[in-house]
Every structure is written in structure tokens, then in C-alpha cells.
């Protein structure tokens, strides 16, 4: 598992007076992985992405609405989660009462750089946000001068595009 002072895999950033800094894992997703409840669909999405990266598969099952698991188990995740994750980009996030959605790109490297581009649906049951389903979309690749998908702060052309 990641060191507590390491940047969070979800890439969340905060602006300080002089710079933009990545939030540490201990100040971001770790509390959710240890039992604190996400207060928004975006927090849950970020913590689920970090759980994929860190292979915290119990958390993924616990935060998935059981009506939508479709046979997914921790054992399946333990076997199948060998993805080389690069970063998370949240495109949009909204919630209204007990429903919410998050559009995101979860970037990874396989045979080049690609992404899971999804609009994920969430429901709040018993004061707990849960993932239900997602609609897959075509990934929108970053432009050369966009900030890199790995949240390094560099331009894409100077960072991850070199590994694609």
C-alpha cells in the first residue's frame, strides 16, 4: 500500500498561495479506505479509483451497490486487476439528493495509452454513497500542450505521451 505522505493516486490537488499541490493519500482517499464515508459521488469515485490502483478490492465490493454487482467478487478483482494505471481526470460531477453521477477518464497504459471514459451513476442508501452502473464513452485523448494525465504538472508532450 502507498505511504501516507505519498500523493494520492486519484490526483486530487489543492491550490496554495504560490502553487498547486497534490493532496497526500492520508489526507485524501485513505480515510475512506479505512471506513469513513464519502460525502459526495466524486469523493467515492476518487476513492474507488485509488482502491483499484492500490488493489484494495474489499473496498470496491463494499462501495458497489449489491443490486448491480452482476457476479463481481473480490476474487475476480484479485485475478484481473493488473492494469498499469496512470491517472484520473474528473470531467464532471453532480449530485441531487440521493442520486449522482461522475464523468471521468481513468488513464492506463497497456499497448499504448488509453482510458476508461465513463459516466458513472451513484445512489445514496442509508447515508452511504454506492456505485451502481456506468455508461462507457470513447476516450478523448489529451492534446500535446494539455497537462499530463498522470498529474505530474508537466505538459502531456513532455511526460506520458513519450511512453504511449
Amino acid at each position: 500500500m502507498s505511504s501516507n505522505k505519498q500523493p494520492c493516486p486519484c490526483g486530487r490537488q489543492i491550490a496554495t498561495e504560490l502553487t498547486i499541490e497534490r493532496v497526500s493519500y492520508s489526507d485524501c482517499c485513505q480515510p475512506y479506505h479505512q471506513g469513513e464515508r464519502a460525502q459526495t459521488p466524486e469523493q467515492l469515485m476518487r476513492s474507488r479509483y485509488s482502491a483499484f490502483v492500490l488493489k484494495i478490492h474489499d473496498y470496491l465490493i463494499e462501495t458497489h451497490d449489491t443490486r448491480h454487482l452482476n457476479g463481481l467478487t473480490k476474487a475476480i478483482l484479485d485475478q484481473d486487476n493488473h492494469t498499469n494505471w496512470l491517472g484520473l481526470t474528473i470531467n464532471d460531477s453532480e449530485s441531487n439528493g440521493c442520486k449522482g453521477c461522475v464523468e471521468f477518464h481513468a488513464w492506463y497504459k497497456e499497448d499504448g495509452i488509453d482510458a476508461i471514459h465513463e459516466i458513472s451513476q451513484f445512489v445514496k442508501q442509508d447515508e452511504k454513497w454506492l456505485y451502481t452502473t456506468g455508461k462507457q464513452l470513447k476516450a478523448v485523448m489529451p492534446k500535446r500542450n494539455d497537462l499530463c494525465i498522470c498529474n505530474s504538472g508537466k505538459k502531456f508532450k513532455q511526460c506520458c505521451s513519450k511512453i504511449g
Side-chain angles (χ1 to χ4, degrees):
M1 190 177 287
S2 178
S3 167
N4 291 346
K5 297 300 176 192
Q6 292 295 316
C8 191
C10 81
R12 192 171 135 237
Q13 300 176 339
I14 56 170
T16 65
E17 288 183 25
L18 302 175
T19 186
I20 295 176
E21 296 178 5
R22 287 187 60 186
V23 177
S24 70
Y25 173 64
S26 62
D27 291 334
C28 193
C29 291
Q30 185 179 40
Y32 306 124
H33 296 159
Q34 294 177 338
E36 186 176 314
R37 290 184 175 179
Q39 299 300 304
T40 66
E42 183 175 331
Q43 286 175 342
L44 183 60
M45 180 66 242
R46 287 182 175 283
S47 66
R48 286 178 56 83
Y49 172 83
S50 291
F52 271 108
V53 172
L54 300 172
K55 298 177 176 21
I56 306 172
H57 299 146
D58 286 332
Y59 181 78
L60 294 168
I61 299 300
E62 291 166 12
T63 58
H64 200 129
D65 186 334
T66 56
R67 298 171 295 181
H68 298 278
L69 276 170
N70 299 321
L72 183 66
T73 64
K74 179 186 178 303
I76 291 170
L77 289 171
D78 287 344
Q79 292 173 349
D80 291 343
N81 191 3
H82 303 289
T83 304
N84 181 12
W85 297 105
L86 298 173
L88 176 69
T89 304
I90 301 293
N91 301 25
D92 193 24
S93 178
E94 60 184 56
S95 62
N96 185 0
C98 293
K99 292 186 178 186
C101 66
V102 177
E103 180 184 352
F104 68 92
H105 280 78
W107 299 98
Y108 62 92
K109 182 179 186 301
E110 199 163 87
D111 295 325
I113 295 173
D114 203 354
I116 298 169
H117 182 194
E118 181 175 300
I119 299 175
S120 295
Q121 302 298 318
F122 298 87
V123 296
K124 193 173 189 180
Q125 296 176 350
D126 300 322
E127 300 303 313
K128 181 178 181 179
W129 283 104
L130 299 169
Y131 170 80
T132 60
T133 59
K135 178 182 176 187
Q136 300 292 309
L137 305 170
K138 185 177 183 333
V140 179
M141 294 302 289
K143 295 180 177 83
R144 292 173 30 87
N145 289 320
D146 288 347
L147 288 176
C148 193
I149 56 179
C150 71
N151 299 303
S152 67
K154 297 178 183 176
K155 290 182 178 182
F156 181 65
K157 69 182 178 186
Q158 298 169 329
C159 196
C160 286
S161 74
K162 292 180 178 184
I163 64 172

